[in-house]
Amino acid sequence: MLLLFCIPSYCAMAHPVNISGKVSDAHGKPVVYANVMLFKTQDTTILIKADFTNDNGQYKLTATDSGTYVLKVALVGYDRYRSESFLAENDITLPDIKLLQKENES
């Protein structure tokens, strides 16, 4: 009998969602140590998670629950990147991100 009451509360609990992908430059080379930031779509001023890309340009962020998110990527010398909103109900691998080098400013 107790089990019947526990199941609904278990189902309502948030479950972690892994969001992963790769960042490369215009030539397809991995971008190392880029700052990858995850935000909820409802408020992109509140940072949910952040990490750096590894030596292969890969990242993996774990959100505490499913939802609609926006990903931002930044690195000195490159234009900033902002994804479209995406739904992460389960673990998701996003399409590769291409960072473009900034033009020389005079």
Side-chain angles (χ1 to χ4, degrees):
M1 185 71 144
L2 180 62
L3 182 60
L4 293 176
F5 294 109
C6 294
I7 291 174
S9 63
Y10 174 77
C11 293
M13 291 176 52
H15 68 281
V17 177
N18 293 312
I19 300 165
S20 59
K22 184 177 179 180
V23 180
S24 57
D25 65 14
H27 305 289
K29 294 181 182 177
V31 175
V32 181
Y33 301 120
N35 190 4
V36 182
M37 300 160 285
L38 185 67
F39 300 86
K40 283 274 194 176
T41 301
Q42 297 86 349
D43 188 353
T44 58
T45 63
I46 299 174
L47 180 66
I48 303 298
K49 289 284 180 175
D51 203 354
F52 294 98
T53 55
N54 65 16
D55 292 339
N56 298 315
Q58 298 171 326
Y59 63 89
K60 181 178 179 182
L61 302 169
T62 302
T64 55
D65 61 346
S66 61
T68 306
Y69 293 95
V70 170
L71 194 76
K72 296 181 182 182
V73 181
L75 182 64
V76 173
Y78 289 87
D79 290 333
R80 291 177 181 240
Y81 171 86
R82 184 185 192 278
S83 74
E84 296 291 327
S85 295
F86 61 91
L87 179 62
E89 293 181 315
N90 298 302
D91 293 354
I92 184 172
T93 300
L94 298 176
D96 288 358
I97 296 168
K98 298 277 187 210
L99 283 188
L100 301 176
Q101 286 190 310
K102 286 187 177 182
E103 296 289 325
N104 289 338
E105 297 176 8
S106 301

